[in-house]
Amino acid sequence: MNKIIVVLFLLVSSFSFAQTADDLFKNANALYKEGNYQKAIELYKQIESKKEVSSELYYNLGNAYYKLNKVAPSIYNYEKALQLDPLNEDAQNNLIIANRLTLDRIEELPRSIFQKINESIFQKLTYNSWAVITIILSFIAATLFLLFYFSYTPNKKRFYFSTSILAFLLLISGLAITFTQYNQTKNNVKAIVFSEEVSVKNAPTTDANEVFFLHEGTKVNVLDTVDNWRKIKLVDGKIGWVKNSSIKLL
């Protein structure tokens, strides 16, 4: 009896929690429509603190910060929205607009054909989505093989054999893409510059030489960490060290 009460209590608590997050989201959207962007941000941040995050939440946060002319936070949240849903076209479009407010104009290094294919096709889905596709392909491949094994008609056996081979090849490709996207996501750490202006050093010390400056909103790759310093790399290949407090990891 006590176990049943505990289970019911947990279910009710979970439902109440979800309802609270949903109510906060609706109230925050209402405040945004009224032009009360700072209050809307506070409610959106409350939802984030409850771990009830979504692409829509970060997209709305980015919009609210953009309305307040806060460049770095708006870009950061649009990027977070795209991390959760790379196909979020609204976030993609607004990120382009927000990036126009940044001061740094960095020329990206030429990319190979494989990098372009990876970005335009494979990176459109997260590694979790590719994992789901791989699981579906495994079921299809297994089903086709079983149909081939239990079929007695020559034409059907040839058909199921050919399609099962194709399905297994797609399955192997799906596994490779999932593994590659997972490694890229875990190893390719990005961050947004939040300081209005930051001096990039050639070593992780305060007395090191300045190599260049960056401004708020610029996106960087994080390569390494030493104490309270981060080694960063720009899309044009430049490398340097910045204080950890000057950037925010995505």
Side-chain angles (χ1 to χ4, degrees):
M1 183 66 181
N2 289 335
K3 290 183 178 180
I4 295 174
I5 293 173
V6 171
V7 171
L8 288 173
F9 175 76
L10 291 174
L11 288 173
V12 172
S13 298
S14 300
F15 179 75
S16 299
F17 180 80
Q19 284 292 102
T20 301
D22 187 57
D23 290 340
L24 283 172
F25 192 71
K26 289 178 180 177
N27 292 336
N29 290 343
L31 288 168
Y32 178 88
K33 290 177 181 178
E34 294 170 3
N36 198 340
Y37 306 119
Q38 189 57 52
K39 283 291 184 181
I41 289 171
E42 292 174 8
L43 293 187
Y44 288 136
K45 298 296 284 184
Q46 284 185 41
I47 299 171
E48 184 185 29
S49 67
K50 296 176 183 292
K51 308 300 182 184
E52 289 287 318
V53 297
S54 64
S55 182
E56 291 74 20
L57 173 66
Y58 285 120
Y59 169 70
N60 287 4
L61 260 172
N63 288 341
Y65 278 119
Y66 182 82
K67 290 292 187 180
L68 295 175
N69 295 316
K70 295 186 177 182
V71 179
S74 63
I75 291 174
Y76 175 85
N77 283 285
Y78 289 141
E79 291 281 1
K80 292 289 286 184
L82 291 172
Q83 278 186 337
L84 295 177
D85 181 11
L87 300 178
N88 188 332
E89 292 185 359
D90 291 329
Q92 291 174 5
N93 295 332
N94 285 12
L95 177 60
I96 293 172
I97 296 171
N99 277 327
R100 292 172 184 161
L101 300 177
T102 59
L103 297 179
D104 299 320
R105 295 291 177 263
I106 303 169
E107 292 291 332
E108 188 173 357
L109 290 174
R111 291 171 295 170
S112 67
I113 184 66
F114 299 106
Q115 289 174 321
K116 291 178 180 179
I117 292 173
N118 182 50
E119 183 177 329
S120 60
I121 299 176
F122 300 137
Q123 289 186 3
K124 290 297 182 182
L125 298 175
T126 64
Y127 64 84
N128 284 325
S129 299
W130 281 112
V132 172
I133 292 172
T134 303
I135 292 171
I136 294 171
L137 286 172
S138 67
F139 279 111
I140 293 173
T143 302
L144 289 170
F145 180 79
L146 289 173
L147 289 170
F148 157 75
Y149 185 80
F150 289 108
S151 293
Y152 297 101
T153 306
N155 289 337
K156 286 185 177 181
K157 286 187 78 72
R158 281 195 295 270
F159 173 77
Y160 289 133
F161 178 78
S162 301
T163 52
S164 64
I165 291 297
L166 177 61
F168 275 113
L169 290 174
L170 291 174
L171 171 60
I172 293 170
S173 300
L175 283 170
I177 294 170
T178 302
F179 183 74
T180 301
Q181 295 303 318
Y182 176 80
N183 281 336
Q184 286 185 350
T185 301
K186 295 302 177 185
N187 298 327
N188 192 14
V189 181
K190 298 185 181 296
I192 301 297
V193 176
F194 263 65
S195 296
E196 186 174 347
E197 183 178 82
V198 57
S199 171
V200 184
K201 308 278 190 175
N202 64 353
T205 57
T206 53
D207 59 348
N209 294 329
E210 295 175 346
V211 286
F212 54 92
F213 287 89
L214 291 176
H215 301 85
E216 64 172 327
T218 300
K219 187 178 179 180
V220 299
N221 292 318
V222 179
L223 305 178
D224 197 6
T225 302
V226 174
D227 297 328
N228 62 335
W229 292 84
R230 301 270 189 181
K231 187 178 183 180
I232 63 167
K233 183 178 181 179
L234 305 183
V235 293
D236 62 359
K238 290 181 182 177
I239 294 176
W241 293 85
V242 296
K243 284 286 187 71
N244 186 39
S245 58
S246 63
I247 62 175
K248 189 172 182 179
L249 298 180
L250 286 166

